Amino acid sequence: MLSKSMEEALNRQVNRELYSAYLYTSMSAYFSSMNLSGFAKWMKIQAKEERAHATKFYDYILTRGGKITLLDIEAPKSKWASAGKVFEEVYAHEQKVTAMINALVELAAKVIDHASFEMLQWFVKEQVEEEEHASEILVKVKTLGDVPGHLFYLDHELGKRE
Ligand code: FEO
């Protein structure tokens, strides 16, 4: 059985993962409007991964006999100044998510919930990858000068994501 505090924290994380999916879907739409279809595809797949993260938390809450409480999801912004600005935000957002996961790990330790602590280790590793990918793409975009015309090579590369 989940403690009340852990149940609430996990439900909030379902919401944050769904917000991440919303944010990346909005970024995908922005890239589509810029005719950067590879960037748009990459973001759409990222949004799908975030929905999978939300589902992982959702399923875990139910497995532990917890109650699902779905919260409001705020609208994400829809305009950015450039591709570089988008990836600056992705990187900053993933760092925030890492801090949320770390706070959940600390809560699991505090309430002596070994099962949640164990489940969260998957997300600890996942966040290392999430930050790495965002920062790698950010460096590449900046190297290319963040000019739409210069980004077509990278657009082609990102479009290969499956
Ligand atoms: Fe669910 Fe991108 O972290």
Side-chain angles (χ1 to χ4, degrees):
M1 189 72 189
L2 284 173
S3 68
K4 214 60 210 155
S5 58
M6 184 54 77
E7 183 185 87
E8 279 172 16
L10 291 170
N11 270 296
R12 274 198 303 277
Q13 194 60 31
V14 170
N15 177 272
R16 290 299 81 198
E17 300 293 344
L18 290 174
Y19 173 75
S20 299
Y22 239 36
L23 177 63
Y24 295 150
T25 301
S26 187
M27 288 172 171
S28 180
Y30 163 78
F31 282 126
S32 290
S33 76
M34 301 282 288
N35 290 320
L36 289 167
S37 60
F39 278 89
K41 184 181 175 197
W42 192 94
M43 278 298 172
K44 213 169 171 182
I45 293 171
Q46 193 63 25
K48 193 174 161 195
E49 276 199 6
E50 299 300 349
R51 287 194 293 276
H53 293 171
T55 302
K56 211 171 169 80
F57 279 111
Y58 176 100
D59 289 343
Y60 177 75
I61 293 168
L62 291 178
T63 301
R64 295 290 311 281
K67 182 182 180 301
I68 296 292
T69 307
L70 296 176
L71 307 166
D72 287 345
I73 303 169
E74 68 269 32
K77 64 196 258 197
S78 57
K79 278 190 198 148
W80 288 266
S82 64
K85 291 290 173 201
V86 173
F87 273 93
E88 276 175 18
E89 191 167 332
V90 172
Y91 187 38
H93 182 71
E94 288 302 335
Q95 287 174 304
K96 269 193 229 159
V97 175
T98 299
M100 289 173 207
I101 299 296
N102 287 341
L104 285 169
V105 172
E106 282 167 27
L107 178 63
K110 191 176 145 205
V111 300
I112 318 178
D113 183 344
H114 292 284
S116 295
F117 188 93
E118 170 67 20
M119 183 277 292
L120 288 163
Q121 299 312 304
W122 185 91
F123 284 96
V124 170
K125 289 193 204 98
E126 178 72 0
Q127 281 313 116
V128 172
E129 279 183 26
E130 293 277 74
E131 284 193 32
E132 184 192 13
H133 294 156
S135 125
E136 266 177 22
I137 298 170
L138 177 58
V139 168
K140 285 181 185 167
V141 171
K142 294 286 181 192
T143 306
L144 287 168
D146 200 6
V147 176
H150 294 172
L151 293 174
F152 287 123
Y153 168 73
L154 187 53
D155 190 55
H156 181 70
E157 287 301 302
L158 294 182
K160 291 180 187 165
R161 185 176 184 185
E162 296 295 336

PDB file of all heavy atoms in Angstrom, residues 125-146:
ATOM      1  N   LYS A 125      17.845   6.729 -14.248  1.00  0.00           N
ATOM      2  CA  LYS A 125      18.693   6.427 -15.420  1.00  0.00           C
ATOM      3  C   LYS A 125      18.147   7.115 -16.668  1.00  0.00           C
ATOM      4  O   LYS A 125      18.896   7.655 -17.475  1.00  0.00           O
ATOM      5  CB  LYS A 125      18.745   4.915 -15.657  1.00  0.00           C
ATOM      6  CG  LYS A 125      19.546   4.170 -14.626  1.00  0.00           C
ATOM      7  CD  LYS A 125      19.830   2.738 -15.082  1.00  0.00           C
ATOM      8  CE  LYS A 125      20.081   1.845 -13.894  1.00  0.00           C
ATOM      9  NZ  LYS A 125      18.906   1.065 -13.468  1.00  0.00           N
ATOM     10  N   GLU A 126      16.831   7.081 -16.813  1.00  0.00           N
ATOM     11  CA  GLU A 126      16.187   7.697 -17.974  1.00  0.00           C
ATOM     12  C   GLU A 126      16.511   9.192 -18.051  1.00  0.00           C
ATOM     13  O   GLU A 126      16.771   9.737 -19.121  1.00  0.00           O
ATOM     14  CB  GLU A 126      14.664   7.475 -17.892  1.00  0.00           C
ATOM     15  CG  GLU A 126      13.843   8.109 -19.002  1.00  0.00           C
ATOM     16  CD  GLU A 126      13.981   7.425 -20.361  1.00  0.00           C
ATOM     17  OE1 GLU A 126      14.730   6.431 -20.454  1.00  0.00           O
ATOM     18  OE2 GLU A 126      13.365   7.903 -21.317  1.00  0.00           O
ATOM     19  N   GLN A 127      16.534   9.849 -16.896  1.00  0.00           N
ATOM     20  CA  GLN A 127      16.809  11.294 -16.894  1.00  0.00           C
ATOM     21  C   GLN A 127      18.248  11.607 -17.314  1.00  0.00           C
ATOM     22  O   GLN A 127      18.498  12.658 -17.911  1.00  0.00           O
ATOM     23  CB  GLN A 127      16.493  11.909 -15.528  1.00  0.00           C
ATOM     24  CG  GLN A 127      15.007  12.159 -15.293  1.00  0.00           C
ATOM     25  CD  GLN A 127      14.299  12.838 -16.456  1.00  0.00           C
ATOM     26  OE1 GLN A 127      13.417  12.273 -17.063  1.00  0.00           O
ATOM     27  NE2 GLN A 127      14.714  14.048 -16.802  1.00  0.00           N
ATOM     28  N   VAL A 128      19.169  10.698 -17.033  1.00  0.00           N
ATOM     29  CA  VAL A 128      20.548  10.904 -17.498  1.00  0.00           C
ATOM     30  C   VAL A 128      20.532  10.959 -19.025  1.00  0.00           C
ATOM     31  O   VAL A 128      21.126  11.855 -19.645  1.00  0.00           O
ATOM     32  CB  VAL A 128      21.483   9.776 -16.988  1.00  0.00           C
ATOM     33  CG1 VAL A 128      22.867   9.888 -17.623  1.00  0.00           C
ATOM     34  CG2 VAL A 128      21.584   9.814 -15.471  1.00  0.00           C
ATOM     35  N   GLU A 129      19.792  10.043 -19.645  1.00  0.00           N
ATOM     36  CA  GLU A 129      19.692  10.023 -21.117  1.00  0.00           C
ATOM     37  C   GLU A 129      18.937  11.234 -21.644  1.00  0.00           C
ATOM     38  O   GLU A 129      19.327  11.833 -22.643  1.00  0.00           O
ATOM     39  CB  GLU A 129      18.944   8.764 -21.571  1.00  0.00           C
ATOM     40  CG  GLU A 129      19.815   7.543 -21.609  1.00  0.00           C
ATOM     41  CD  GLU A 129      19.053   6.334 -22.127  1.00  0.00           C
ATOM     42  OE1 GLU A 129      18.074   6.507 -22.877  1.00  0.00           O
ATOM     43  OE2 GLU A 129      19.428   5.209 -21.759  1.00  0.00           O
ATOM     44  N   GLU A 130      17.853  11.583 -20.988  1.00  0.00           N
ATOM     45  CA  GLU A 130      17.034  12.708 -21.446  1.00  0.00           C
ATOM     46  C   GLU A 130      17.862  13.999 -21.477  1.00  0.00           C
ATOM     47  O   GLU A 130      17.817  14.757 -22.447  1.00  0.00           O
ATOM     48  CB  GLU A 130      15.822  12.906 -20.525  1.00  0.00           C
ATOM     49  CG  GLU A 130      14.799  11.774 -20.569  1.00  0.00           C
ATOM     50  CD  GLU A 130      13.823  11.887 -21.730  1.00  0.00           C
ATOM     51  OE1 GLU A 130      14.242  11.624 -22.866  1.00  0.00           O
ATOM     52  OE2 GLU A 130      12.661  12.215 -21.495  1.00  0.00           O
ATOM     53  N   GLU A 131      18.620  14.228 -20.412  1.00  0.00           N
ATOM     54  CA  GLU A 131      19.453  15.445 -20.363  1.00  0.00           C
ATOM     55  C   GLU A 131      20.570  15.375 -21.402  1.00  0.00           C
ATOM     56  O   GLU A 131      20.877  16.372 -22.059  1.00  0.00           O
ATOM     57  CB  GLU A 131      20.062  15.611 -18.962  1.00  0.00           C
ATOM     58  CG  GLU A 131      19.062  16.103 -17.941  1.00  0.00           C
ATOM     59  CD  GLU A 131      19.741  16.565 -16.652  1.00  0.00           C
ATOM     60  OE1 GLU A 131      20.884  17.069 -16.711  1.00  0.00           O
ATOM     61  OE2 GLU A 131      19.126  16.413 -15.588  1.00  0.00           O
ATOM     62  N   GLU A 132      21.157  14.199 -21.555  1.00  0.00           N
ATOM     63  CA  GLU A 132      22.260  14.038 -22.514  1.00  0.00           C
ATOM     64  C   GLU A 132      21.781  14.348 -23.936  1.00  0.00           C
ATOM     65  O   GLU A 132      22.418  15.099 -24.675  1.00  0.00           O
ATOM     66  CB  GLU A 132      22.811  12.607 -22.426  1.00  0.00           C
ATOM     67  CG  GLU A 132      24.023  12.390 -23.312  1.00  0.00           C
ATOM     68  CD  GLU A 132      24.387  10.918 -23.461  1.00  0.00           C
ATOM     69  OE1 GLU A 132      23.577  10.042 -23.086  1.00  0.00           O
ATOM     70  OE2 GLU A 132      25.479  10.661 -23.981  1.00  0.00           O
ATOM     71  N   HIS A 133      20.631  13.778 -24.323  1.00  0.00           N
ATOM     72  CA  HIS A 133      20.128  13.984 -25.689  1.00  0.00           C
ATOM     73  C   HIS A 133      19.803  15.453 -25.940  1.00  0.00           C
ATOM     74  O   HIS A 133      20.161  16.002 -26.985  1.00  0.00           O
ATOM     75  CB  HIS A 133      18.887  13.119 -25.948  1.00  0.00           C
ATOM     76  CG  HIS A 133      19.195  11.659 -25.939  1.00  0.00           C
ATOM     77  ND1 HIS A 133      18.249  10.695 -25.671  1.00  0.00           N
ATOM     78  CD2 HIS A 133      20.351  10.988 -26.154  1.00  0.00           C
ATOM     79  CE1 HIS A 133      18.821   9.503 -25.719  1.00  0.00           C
ATOM     80  NE2 HIS A 133      20.081   9.654 -26.005  1.00  0.00           N
ATOM     81  N   ALA A 134      19.130  16.081 -24.971  1.00  0.00           N
ATOM     82  CA  ALA A 134      18.747  17.496 -25.138  1.00  0.00           C
ATOM     83  C   ALA A 134      20.001  18.361 -25.260  1.00  0.00           C
ATOM     84  O   ALA A 134      20.077  19.242 -26.135  1.00  0.00           O
ATOM     85  CB  ALA A 134      17.896  17.952 -23.955  1.00  0.00           C
ATOM     86  N   SER A 135      20.996  18.097 -24.435  1.00  0.00           N
ATOM     87  CA  SER A 135      22.194  18.937 -24.459  1.00  0.00           C
ATOM     88  C   SER A 135      23.000  18.705 -25.738  1.00  0.00           C
ATOM     89  O   SER A 135      23.527  19.644 -26.329  1.00  0.00           O
ATOM     90  CB  SER A 135      22.982  18.704 -23.182  1.00  0.00           C
ATOM     91  OG  SER A 135      24.273  18.333 -23.415  1.00  0.00           O
ATOM     92  N   GLU A 136      23.051  17.458 -26.221  1.00  0.00           N
ATOM     93  CA  GLU A 136      23.766  17.161 -27.482  1.00  0.00           C
ATOM     94  C   GLU A 136      23.150  17.929 -28.653  1.00  0.00           C
ATOM     95  O   GLU A 136      23.856  18.519 -29.467  1.00  0.00           O
ATOM     96  CB  GLU A 136      23.651  15.664 -27.794  1.00  0.00           C
ATOM     97  CG  GLU A 136      24.822  14.845 -27.290  1.00  0.00           C
ATOM     98  CD  GLU A 136      24.617  13.363 -27.569  1.00  0.00           C
ATOM     99  OE1 GLU A 136      23.819  13.005 -28.477  1.00  0.00           O
ATOM    100  OE2 GLU A 136      25.237  12.581 -26.864  1.00  0.00           O
ATOM    101  N   ILE A 137      21.818  17.884 -28.737  1.00  0.00           N
ATOM    102  CA  ILE A 137      21.148  18.565 -29.857  1.00  0.00           C
ATOM    103  C   ILE A 137      21.309  20.074 -29.720  1.00  0.00           C
ATOM    104  O   ILE A 137      21.553  20.773 -30.705  1.00  0.00           O
ATOM    105  CB  ILE A 137      19.663  18.147 -29.952  1.00  0.00           C
ATOM    106  CG1 ILE A 137      19.565  16.649 -30.226  1.00  0.00           C
ATOM    107  CG2 ILE A 137      18.954  18.928 -31.057  1.00  0.00           C
ATOM    108  CD1 ILE A 137      18.168  16.068 -30.114  1.00  0.00           C
ATOM    109  N   LEU A 138      21.234  20.577 -28.497  1.00  0.00           N
ATOM    110  CA  LEU A 138      21.413  22.017 -28.267  1.00  0.00           C
ATOM    111  C   LEU A 138      22.789  22.469 -28.774  1.00  0.00           C
ATOM    112  O   LEU A 138      22.903  23.475 -29.479  1.00  0.00           O
ATOM    113  CB  LEU A 138      21.254  22.331 -26.771  1.00  0.00           C
ATOM    114  CG  LEU A 138      21.484  23.773 -26.346  1.00  0.00           C
ATOM    115  CD1 LEU A 138      20.539  24.731 -27.071  1.00  0.00           C
ATOM    116  CD2 LEU A 138      21.303  23.920 -24.834  1.00  0.00           C
ATOM    117  N   VAL A 139      23.827  21.710 -28.458  1.00  0.00           N
ATOM    118  CA  VAL A 139      25.191  22.055 -28.912  1.00  0.00           C
ATOM    119  C   VAL A 139      25.252  22.053 -30.439  1.00  0.00           C
ATOM    120  O   VAL A 139      25.809  22.964 -31.062  1.00  0.00           O
ATOM    121  CB  VAL A 139      26.236  21.066 -28.315  1.00  0.00           C
ATOM    122  CG1 VAL A 139      27.589  21.226 -28.984  1.00  0.00           C
ATOM    123  CG2 VAL A 139      26.352  21.264 -26.810  1.00  0.00           C
ATOM    124  N   LYS A 140      24.622  21.042 -31.067  1.00  0.00           N
ATOM    125  CA  LYS A 140      24.652  20.963 -32.535  1.00  0.00           C
ATOM    126  C   LYS A 140      23.932  22.150 -33.166  1.00  0.00           C
ATOM    127  O   LYS A 140      24.406  22.733 -34.138  1.00  0.00           O
ATOM    128  CB  LYS A 140      24.010  19.651 -33.010  1.00  0.00           C
ATOM    129  CG  LYS A 140      24.916  18.447 -32.795  1.00  0.00           C
ATOM    130  CD  LYS A 140      24.253  17.177 -33.289  1.00  0.00           C
ATOM    131  CE  LYS A 140      25.115  15.971 -32.963  1.00  0.00           C
ATOM    132  NZ  LYS A 140      24.395  14.699 -33.134  1.00  0.00           N
ATOM    133  N   VAL A 141      22.774  22.489 -32.623  1.00  0.00           N
ATOM    134  CA  VAL A 141      22.005  23.623 -33.166  1.00  0.00           C
ATOM    135  C   VAL A 141      22.830  24.900 -33.046  1.00  0.00           C
ATOM    136  O   VAL A 141      22.940  25.680 -33.994  1.00  0.00           O
ATOM    137  CB  VAL A 141      20.655  23.795 -32.418  1.00  0.00           C
ATOM    138  CG1 VAL A 141      19.973  25.087 -32.831  1.00  0.00           C
ATOM    139  CG2 VAL A 141      19.735  22.617 -32.686  1.00  0.00           C
ATOM    140  N   LYS A 142      23.452  25.094 -31.903  1.00  0.00           N
ATOM    141  CA  LYS A 142      24.258  26.302 -31.685  1.00  0.00           C
ATOM    142  C   LYS A 142      25.463  26.313 -32.633  1.00  0.00           C
ATOM    143  O   LYS A 142      25.848  27.356 -33.165  1.00  0.00           O
ATOM    144  CB  LYS A 142      24.739  26.376 -30.226  1.00  0.00           C
ATOM    145  CG  LYS A 142      23.617  26.571 -29.224  1.00  0.00           C
ATOM    146  CD  LYS A 142      23.073  27.989 -29.267  1.00  0.00           C
ATOM    147  CE  LYS A 142      21.976  28.205 -28.254  1.00  0.00           C
ATOM    148  NZ  LYS A 142      21.241  29.443 -28.444  1.00  0.00           N
ATOM    149  N   THR A 143      26.074  25.135 -32.844  1.00  0.00           N
ATOM    150  CA  THR A 143      27.234  25.048 -33.736  1.00  0.00           C
ATOM    151  C   THR A 143      26.858  25.433 -35.161  1.00  0.00           C
ATOM    152  O   THR A 143      27.631  26.055 -35.878  1.00  0.00           O
ATOM    153  CB  THR A 143      27.804  23.600 -33.720  1.00  0.00           C
ATOM    154  OG1 THR A 143      28.066  23.252 -32.366  1.00  0.00           O
ATOM    155  CG2 THR A 143      29.088  23.486 -34.519  1.00  0.00           C
ATOM    156  N   LEU A 144      25.644  25.060 -35.566  1.00  0.00           N
ATOM    157  CA  LEU A 144      25.197  25.366 -36.928  1.00  0.00           C
ATOM    158  C   LEU A 144      24.718  26.813 -37.066  1.00  0.00           C
ATOM    159  O   LEU A 144      24.282  27.229 -38.126  1.00  0.00           O
ATOM    160  CB  LEU A 144      24.074  24.403 -37.334  1.00  0.00           C
ATOM    161  CG  LEU A 144      24.542  22.969 -37.625  1.00  0.00           C
ATOM    162  CD1 LEU A 144      23.354  22.037 -37.729  1.00  0.00           C
ATOM    163  CD2 LEU A 144      25.369  22.918 -38.899  1.00  0.00           C
ATOM    164  N   GLY A 145      24.781  27.564 -35.989  1.00  0.00           N
ATOM    165  CA  GLY A 145      24.436  28.971 -36.072  1.00  0.00           C
ATOM    166  C   GLY A 145      22.967  29.271 -35.863  1.00  0.00           C
ATOM    167  O   GLY A 145      22.551  30.414 -35.967  1.00  0.00           O
ATOM    168  N   ASP A 146      22.176  28.221 -35.599  1.00  0.00           N
ATOM    169  CA  ASP A 146      20.761  28.412 -35.280  1.00  0.00           C
ATOM    170  C   ASP A 146      20.006  29.223 -36.346  1.00  0.00           C
ATOM    171  O   ASP A 146      19.108  29.983 -36.048  1.00  0.00           O
ATOM    172  CB  ASP A 146      20.634  29.082 -33.899  1.00  0.00           C
ATOM    173  CG  ASP A 146      19.246  28.877 -33.286  1.00  0.00           C
ATOM    174  OD1 ASP A 146      18.440  28.123 -33.885  1.00  0.00           O
ATOM    175  OD2 ASP A 146      18.973  29.469 -32.232  1.00  0.00           O
TER     176      ASP A 146
END
